[in-house]
Structure formats: structure tokens, C-alpha cells
Amino acid sequence: MAEYGTMRVKTGLAEMLKGGVIMDVVDAEQAKIAEASGAVAVMALERVPADIRAQGGVARMSDPEKIREIQEAVTIPVMAKCRIGHFVEAQILQALEVDYIDESEVLTPADLEHHVDKWQFTVPFVCGATNLGEALRRIAEGAAMIRTKGEAGTGDIVNAVTHMRAVFGHIRKLTAMAEEELYAEAKKLQAPYELVRWVAEHGRLPVVTFTAGGIATPADAALCMQLGADGVFVGSGIFKSGDPERRAKAIVEATTHFKDPEILARVSAGLGEPMVGISAASLDPSQLLETRGW
Amino acid sequence: MEKPLRIGVLAVQGNFREHAAMLRRLGAEPVEVRLPGELEGLDGLIVPGGESTAIGRLMALYGLDDAVQAFDRPIFGTCAGMIVLDRDHLGLGDYRVRRNAFGRQVASFEADLDLGDGEAPLRAVFIRAPWIEEVGPGVEILAEVDGHPVLARQGRLLVAAFHPELTDDTRIHELFLNQVREAAGVRA
């Protein structure tokens, strides 16, 4: 008897994406460039985060027609975003047979308290996290993949680094704790004790952990990989740069050869203009996307 | 003591770490392969699951496609690895694969697979999996799902459409390591 939508099947697809780059695309043409450049998946969205940031307004799930067009253009997995807590957008994305749903803080949240109950879906979910407690709460809700958030649409890597250090550093601390200390730690983390204990025993999250938010160069991608990410999401960094195809290929190569500085030096050369960045520190707290999600 | 078998795991993209963990569990020594020179002296090679388009491109960039074609020891390909080795890609296996044959992720599944060995069935995990569409005379089909071959052997090659590295069942990796031992024995 075949079983569909088991946790093993859901996390299994994330396993296959490891060591790869997932690229934000807004149409079929960009999706084809991403696939030809070696992306392991594409994220279909209406506007890249840099544009959402610049144009403001409410950011929602993409038009299904756009998503279909992208699905028809490529053979690699197609992901799409729904708003935090917007389970009907998630139902629609499942009906469209997207390969992964990103319940994303980049879109305007639909619920200020509850995230989507992801156990109700056959399609797996990826969710953002800024720290270990947030990551474990998402996993408890059924997320099959985590991405540290960073600050999307800035081209500034600093928040991605902060969040990875927070998640991976905290995991390292858990592994050194006495068993009885884990109960109090679970309370502090506001996460289920069983998950906290699993992480303490295994020294990692129980699901694949990518990083996102602010990656603009091959060096940024390799930095994330050296800090312990399983792979990277690149949003505005590729299609808001001067030569998207060349930059996309370079970031893919850097993600594979992240430990080889000579290869990194070669692929970083002559890429043209990177996306125009915004320093994350200069943003008003009300403009931050990373604080969305609870 | 017997020297451990040194098995390369192609590590340009995909879930190579789980294959390495499985090999360690079975007493073999895994070696991550990202560049052609790293194939030297290996007893066998695993081409893991991942995205076959990404893996194919990254292999070609550093001449790993030619190097793997010239590699003369046993090779085990899972999922994307099975695609990479087929007639339309590296051409090492005399079979043709249909990519994403079962459908998109909503159609990914796990199921019991009868290996015809009289043992308990194997729990197999299929992720956007391919199946074998067409085989040449030298290819032996070891397991099928709904009449589609998903595990096959051709001389020193072993290919699976599913992911034995995602379960605790070590039988498929043992099967491969036995092929490696036989090949090494013949040479020695």
C-alpha cells in the first residue's frame, strides 16, 4: 500500500534539495534562467522582496495562472508562498500541486497569532525562523523544512548570519545540557519538550535547514554554508542584479564548492552590479519582515 | 583486519551525507567527491539523489562527467543518480529513465517493495521519483512498482528510483558493497 504525505516523504524532498540554491522567480522566463543556471527549485512569487519593500501595500499569494505558467516552464520543483496563517491560500497552493509551500513573513501576515496547521496538508511546508524556539514551534505545527529568515529584500547578509548563529549556537548549547535542564529549557524556548530533547541528542534540527534573506553574492552563499546551512534561498539577489544568469550560476557554484576559496575567488570575479542593498540596520523596526511570525 | 572499502559519494548537490552515514554504518569509508581528482583510488562510487539538472550541470563544469564515465569500478545511483547514469546522460547504463514519472511532490510516496529474496519487504521512499522506461538486454530488473522497474542491475552498475538512505534498512547498500567486494576480488 502506498502512503502519501508522510513526514518522511515531506522531509525527503528537502533532503534532495540540500547543497543547492532555491531562487525567487516571478515568471516563466526567470524560472527557465534559474533552472538552466543550476537552481534545485524555484520559488514562484508575484514580486521579489525588494519590490515588495519598495512598493509597499499588502503582499499576497501569487496569481495561480502565474504559478501554472512557471510549473509548465521547468522540471525542477516549484515552491510558492502563502501568508502566515492563511490556510486557504495554502489549500489553493496544494490544489495547484506546488511542490513546497512557504508560509512566509515576506508576505503580509493574515493571522497575528496562529500559523497554518501544516499537519492537515499533503504538500510539505517550509517556514522561517529567527531563533531555535521559533524553529521548533514551526516543526511542532508540521513544517518539514526550516529556513532562517534573514531580512529579505535588503541584500544585507547580517540578519541571516545573526539568525543562523542564534539557531545553531543554541543547538550546540542544548547538546551540553544535563537531561533535567532540558525541561526548563523547553519552557524558555516555548517549544515541546520532546523536540527539545531530540535536538539535544542529535545536535541538529530534525528537518533540513536552509538560510534566506539578504544573500547577494557567491561569498554570502558560501558564508551561510560554512556557518552550517544545508542550502540557500536567494530572493532579490539574482534578478535584481545587473547580470542575473551569470550571478545565478556563480552562486550555485559557490554553494557546492563553499569550502574552496580558490574556486570562490574565481566565480566571484566580474559578475557586474550586485543588487542595490539597503543596510538592515537603517530600517525602521516597522519595516522589518523578520519580526513577523510568532 | 580487512582494510575498509573506500566508497566515493558524489557531493556536488543532493543528500550525500545520508549515503555517507549508511556507508559508515556498514564499515566502509565514505569519501566526498566534488572534483575529478577525488575519484582516484576509490573502490566504488555512489551518485546520490538531488536535482538531476543541477547535478548534471555541476558535474560538467569540473569535468566530473568525463571522469565518472572513465571510472571503472562499481557505481550505485539513486533517483537523480539513476537519471545521471542512463543512456541520455552519461550513457553508462543501457536503460532510459522517465523523470518525475510518478508526478509532483503530492504524488511522492512510501511503499513496501518485494525484492523477491524471500525476505521481508523493503520500505521504499519515492520522492518525485523517476522510473525505468526502457532497458537493454544486459539489465536485470530487481524490483517494480505497478509494473515499472525501480531497482535494476547491469554488471557493475546498481540503480534505484527510491531512497534506501532515508530508511534504516541497509539491504540495498549491502547489495552494492557486495558488488564492490566482488569487483575488488576479481582485480586482486
Side-chain angles (χ1 to χ4, degrees):
Chain A
M1 263 277 290
E3 269 190 278
Y4 299 88
T6 62
M7 201 53 178
R8 190 150 63 179
V9 164
K10 288 177 171 178
T11 54
L13 179 54
E15 293 285 341
M16 298 315 136
L17 303 175
K18 283 195 299 195
V21 183
I22 300 169
M23 301 181 192
D24 277 0
V25 298
V26 298
D27 56 30
E29 193 193 339
Q30 289 187 353
K32 281 185 196 154
I33 293 172
E35 184 177 50
S37 305
V40 289
V42 290
M43 176 73 70
L45 72 181
E46 207 158 46
R47 295 178 282 171
V48 294
D51 287 338
I52 292 175
R53 198 173 276 293
Q55 296 159 4
V58 175
R60 309 180 180 88
M61 175 188 80
S62 286
D63 184 334
E65 198 176 279
K66 276 279 176 215
I67 295 173
R68 285 230 169 82
E69 182 190 306
I70 290 167
Q71 284 174 316
E72 276 159 29
V74 296
T75 61
I76 56 178
V78 175
M79 302 181 162
K81 288 181 194 286
C82 76
R83 286 179 263 177
I84 288 174
H86 206 314
F87 51 86
V88 174
E89 283 188 348
Q91 289 164 4
I92 293 170
L93 293 175
Q94 173 158 289
L96 292 170
E97 299 195 356
V98 303
D99 294 292
Y100 243 93
I101 297 174
D102 184 357
E103 186 182 16
S104 177
E105 70 283 357
V106 168
L107 305 186
T108 312
D111 191 321
L112 297 177
E113 206 166 342
H114 308 97
H115 281 249
V116 173
D117 176 5
K118 293 165 271 286
W119 297 107
Q120 304 304 320
F121 291 80
T122 307
V123 170
F125 280 73
V126 55
C127 287
T130 57
N131 57 54
L132 183 57
E134 200 178 351
L136 294 178
R137 286 195 293 281
R138 296 298 84 80
I139 294 166
E141 294 158 0
M145 179 179 185
I146 291 292
R147 54 174 174 75
T148 55
K149 283 180 183 171
E151 187 54 32
T154 59
D156 187 349
I157 196 69
V158 66
N159 290 30
V161 170
T162 306
H163 301 155
M164 272 188 291
R165 290 233 182 247
V167 172
F168 298 135
H170 207 144
I171 292 175
R172 282 189 285 271
K173 275 183 211 149
L174 281 192
T175 60
M177 280 186 176
E179 229 168 278
E180 69 271 19
E181 291 171 334
L182 294 175
Y183 295 99
E185 194 62 20
K187 195 170 133 190
K188 265 190 239 158
L189 283 167
Q190 296 180 277
Y193 167 74
E194 287 71 25
L195 275 176
V196 172
R197 193 190 159 120
W198 194 97
V199 171
E201 267 173 35
H202 294 81
R204 62 177 179 87
L205 288 179
V207 301
V208 166
T209 309
F210 270 47
T211 194
I215 296 165
T217 68
D220 289 345
L223 175 67
C224 294
M225 295 299 288
Q226 288 201 25
L227 283 171
D230 286 324
V232 298
F233 283 87
V234 185
S236 323
I238 288 171
F239 289 100
K240 285 284 161 192
S241 73
D243 187 346
E245 190 170 344
R246 195 147 177 209
R247 186 165 293 265
K249 286 179 176 167
I251 290 176
V252 167
E253 238 179 294
T255 303
T256 291
H257 297 283
F258 66 93
K259 283 185 285 197
D260 191 329
E262 277 169 34
I263 291 181
L264 295 176
R266 186 172 53 70
V267 303
S268 298
L271 294 181
E273 282 300 306
M275 72 176 280
V276 180
I278 310 168
S279 160
S282 71
L283 289 172
D284 185 84
S286 69
Q287 298 298 306
L288 289 175
L289 304 175
E290 60 158 75
T291 50
R292 297 167 166 181
W294 7 94
Chain B
M1 223 184 84
E2 198 188 340
K3 228 178 104 198
L5 293 171
R6 294 183 74 234
I7 308 292
V9 185
L10 195 77
V12 296
Q13 191 270 318
N15 78 330
F16 46 89
R17 276 202 304 258
E18 285 62 36
H19 280 287
M22 194 67 120
L23 289 170
R24 253 181 239 113
R25 222 173 120 183
L26 295 172
E29 181 192 334
V31 179
E32 289 186 4
V33 175
R34 289 186 176 81
L35 297 168
E38 292 162 343
L39 285 169
E40 213 161 296
L42 296 177
D43 297 306
L45 176 71
I46 295 180
V47 185
E51 274 308 311
S52 60
T53 52
I55 292 176
R57 194 181 160 271
L58 284 160
M59 285 178 78
L61 275 179
Y62 289 85
L64 265 169
D65 46 355
D66 295 339
V68 171
Q69 270 169 335
F71 184 76
D72 60 355
R73 316 288 159 78
I75 305 180
F76 175 27
T78 55
C79 196
M82 174 168 108
I83 298 170
V84 166
L85 298 172
D86 87 347
R87 269 185 210 154
D88 295 337
H89 298 86
L90 292 183
L92 290 171
D94 188 13
Y95 59 89
R96 179 168 288 125
V97 165
R98 178 192 287 215
R99 283 185 64 205
N100 302 338
F102 292 93
R104 299 184 192 279
Q105 174 64 10
V106 286
S108 292
F109 64 100
E110 45 182 289
D112 289 335
L113 212 58
D114 184 6
L115 298 181
D117 56 359
E119 304 278 327
L122 179 106
R123 193 67 179 169
V125 183
F126 293 83
I127 308 289
R128 285 171 44 100
W131 66 47
I132 296 176
E133 192 97 309
E134 207 184 300
V135 296
V139 180
E140 181 191 358
I141 292 160
L142 304 178
E144 296 184 338
V145 169
D146 300 335
H148 304 291
V150 293
L151 179 67
R153 183 164 50 192
Q154 179 197 337
R156 67 191 172 95
L157 290 192
L158 178 67
V159 291
F162 55 93
H163 294 281
E165 76 286 359
L166 292 182
T167 65
D168 286 330
D169 198 320
T170 56
R171 278 180 283 173
I172 306 292
H173 284 82
E174 284 174 64
L175 186 69
F176 175 61
L177 288 180
N178 284 338
Q179 273 178 241
V180 174
R181 271 187 211 102
E182 267 169 44
V186 169
R187 228 186 12 210

